[in-house]
Amino acid sequence: MNTCTWPLGNGSSLDFTIYDQKAGWNNVPGLYIFARKAGLYWEALYIGKADDFSSRLPTHERLNEAVQFGATHIHAVVVQQEANRDNWEQMLIHHLQPKMNVQYR
């Protein structure tokens, strides 16, 4: 499986697995990024968190909008602790400034 390393902005980073939009999702918590290729690199369009990927991602209310902006893949990483999910989501949004996130800027 392919991975992508996303910086948190504090010198640390997280390794996300890259999935097709139609991937089957497990009932696990974590962070996800709707992403598109920008040349040789990935661009984050939307960053979010989920308590359960299997119930959140297949019918996500922002996925169609992300696809309209060019999203082709979903990057995901399992993060068990809710406090880490909250903190890292904020850090990623603040550092990467994805066009579809307006909070935590």
Side-chain angles (χ1 to χ4, degrees), residues 25-90:
W25 297 100
N26 294 325
N27 180 359
V28 292
L31 299 170
Y32 58 90
I33 300 174
F34 297 154
R36 69 177 176 194
K37 273 292 210 178
L40 298 176
Y41 304 98
W42 287 100
E43 177 183 1
L45 297 173
Y46 182 82
I47 297 168
K49 62 184 176 197
D51 293 329
D52 171 5
F53 284 144
S54 66
S55 66
R56 179 76 174 125
L57 292 176
T59 59
H60 196 288
E61 69 277 4
R62 304 289 306 267
L63 183 56
N64 287 337
E65 181 183 357
V67 169
Q68 290 177 352
F69 282 123
T72 56
H73 292 79
I74 300 174
H75 298 200
V77 61
V78 174
V79 180
Q80 293 292 341
Q81 288 188 294
E82 184 174 2
N84 287 342
R85 287 194 306 274
D86 292 343
N87 187 39
W88 292 340
E89 177 195 33
Q90 291 177 25

